[in-house]
Amino acid sequence: MNSGRYFTESADKAVSCSLCPRNCQIKNGSFGSCSVRGNKNGMGIIPFYGFVSCLALDPIEKKPLYHYMPGSQILSVGFAGCNLHCPFCQNWRISQNTDIPGRQMKPQEIVSAAIGQNIQSIAYTYSEPLVHAEYLLDCMTLARERNIANVLVTNGCINSPAAKEILSLTDAANIDLKCFSAQTYAEVLGGGLETVLEFIRLAVSKDVHVEITTLLVSGLNDSDEELDMCADFICCLGKSSGKGHIPWHLSAYRPDYRWNAPPTDPAFLLKAAEKARSKLHFVYTGNIAAEKNNTACLHCGTVLVRRRGYSIELTGLAEPETKEKMYSCIKCGEKTSVMI
């Protein structure tokens, strides 16, 4: 039983967890809402430290990240538990359970696995990685020492002190913006909209490469008004931060876990993406067959990255010179928003 950070003692051997906005008051012998942060005899414990439910090589586009190290493979590490309880969760078997197959892996073993396969990045993904903040900090620190990039795939529901620590070690992140309704976040998902928005703002301010994903759940978050609010936020964030164009991934939902609404209509998803492109330059669709996900140069229209599923052709990218992070367009020579 590892003792954890972000805990404070409370009355009657209870502990308070300040990691996320739930601020769980955990009774002795119990766990918080995430099911992985607990209390043993008045001490905050993290018994799932190093418990890995999944370890796999993925295309980085699967995270999804389309503007960061395109065409590369990434070592994906999954955990157990989550501080949200989305009734439509597509990964509920590991996010909403802890009694699942897995193995203990030290941070050094994760980093060594990446080095052994000549992989230049590690993704903390599948279930919610932030509830394992202590493990993330240890693993990310080691990865950075070995020049391996750290990638977060997260719901962004975490309080600022921990967020600042973790984002200081993060190179790229795909952050879920599940809706733009504070009521839906509070009553359906168990989180807070403003916490997520602040996490996204903080990530951008920390010079983390950010891409955003929204799962379009039929009848819940797919109104024109709500999608417009998401697009406006992303657009304004890019402009105000000076980061420019932040990619937005719109993904199709399928009935799963405890949600039985009809699946997202592919035609509706494509229409929503096309409408969003009136405000955002890079809007991509996921989980449908008719995906239109090429990335074009903003200056001359040349196709920079051609995508067919996870088959990637870097047709229009010129390698950066020296230590530049951004690729250039092979035709017009202008810098792109695609990072090496």
Side-chain angles (χ1 to χ4, degrees):
M1 292 288 184
N2 289 280
S3 60
R5 303 170 62 182
Y6 314 110
F7 291 108
T8 54
E9 294 181 4
S10 187
D12 301 323
K13 289 192 173 181
V15 297
S16 175
C17 180
S18 62
L19 178 65
C20 87
R22 284 182 174 273
N23 295 310
C24 293
Q25 304 299 308
I26 309 172
K27 296 179 180 179
N28 184 27
S30 298
F31 284 86
S33 183
C34 64
S35 300
V36 297
R37 305 180 67 80
N39 175 356
K40 184 177 181 181
N41 296 325
M43 181 178 71
I45 57 169
I46 46 172
F48 290 89
Y49 179 95
F51 177 81
V52 173
S53 61
C54 310
L55 188 70
L57 284 181
D58 287 327
I60 199 166
E61 287 78 13
K62 192 176 180 180
K63 297 304 96 187
L65 286 176
Y66 279 11
H67 288 221
Y68 187 78
M69 300 175 70
S72 68
Q73 294 281 298
I74 190 167
L75 182 66
S76 295
V77 187
F79 305 99
C82 184
N83 55 348
L84 295 187
H85 301 295
C86 306
F88 48 80
C89 182
Q90 310 285 287
N91 250 354
W92 63 271
R93 288 171 182 83
I94 60 172
S95 71
Q96 304 302 313
N97 293 290
T98 55
D99 186 17
I100 55 176
R103 54 176 165 155
Q104 295 295 132
M105 294 189 71
K106 297 176 181 178
Q108 297 94 319
E109 293 177 280
I110 299 294
V111 174
S112 293
I115 293 171
Q117 299 187 68
N118 197 29
I119 299 299
Q120 299 302 309
S121 57
I122 298 172
Y124 309 92
T125 179
Y126 299 139
S127 64
E128 180 49 53
L130 291 179
V131 296
H132 302 278
E134 294 87 350
Y135 186 77
L136 253 61
L137 289 168
D138 291 344
C139 204
M140 288 176 146
T141 299
L142 286 176
R144 181 154 286 186
E145 289 173 357
R146 301 302 296 266
N147 293 317
I148 296 172
N150 289 309
V151 172
L152 270 180
V153 182
T154 176
N155 63 31
C157 285
I158 187 173
N159 289 330
S160 291
K164 290 176 181 177
E165 286 190 89
I166 291 170
L167 288 172
S168 69
L169 295 167
T170 302
D171 297 286
N174 187 293
I175 305 168
D176 284 342
L177 180 57
K178 294 181 182 289
C179 61
F180 216 86
S181 165
Q183 182 177 4
T184 301
Y185 258 102
E187 297 179 4
V188 179
L189 313 180
L193 171 62
E194 189 51 45
T195 300
V196 177
L197 299 182
E198 184 55 34
F199 183 85
I200 295 171
R201 294 186 193 104
L202 184 60
V204 171
S205 74
K206 291 284 188 181
D207 206 27
V208 175
H209 173 82
V210 171
E211 302 190 23
I212 294 171
T213 292
T214 302
L215 184 74
L216 267 59
V217 181
S218 306
L220 181 72
N221 66 348
D222 60 349
S223 69
D224 288 345
E225 180 183 12
E226 194 158 345
L227 293 175
D228 280 343
M229 288 190 290
C230 289
D232 288 340
F233 168 75
I234 298 168
C235 180
C236 291
L237 179 66
K239 290 179 179 178
S240 63
S241 66
K243 301 296 182 183
H245 309 288
I246 296 173
W248 189 23
H249 301 263
L250 295 175
S251 293
Y253 141 90
R254 297 183 179 89
D256 208 342
Y257 193 36
R258 297 174 177 174
W259 205 260
N260 294 311
T264 308
D265 180 2
F268 172 80
L269 184 66
L270 291 171
K271 183 179 178 181
E274 190 60 35
K275 183 181 179 183
R277 291 186 186 108
S278 67
K279 299 179 179 180
L280 303 170
H281 284 282
F282 300 112
V283 182
Y284 302 106
T285 57
N287 295 344
I288 60 172
E291 295 179 347
K292 298 180 180 179
N293 287 331
N294 292 341
T295 299
C297 176
L298 293 174
H299 305 281
C300 69
T302 297
V303 174
L304 303 172
V305 183
R306 192 177 302 277
R307 300 182 179 88
R308 300 178 184 87
Y310 294 131
S311 175
I312 310 299
E313 297 177 17
L314 308 181
T315 54
L317 293 175
E319 289 284 345
E321 297 180 3
T322 61
K323 295 183 179 180
E324 287 284 342
K325 290 185 177 181
M326 296 295 184
Y327 285 98
S328 296
C329 174
I330 202 166
K331 183 176 182 180
C332 70
E334 294 287 345
K335 287 185 180 178
T336 72
S337 62
V338 182
M339 297 182 68
I340 191 166

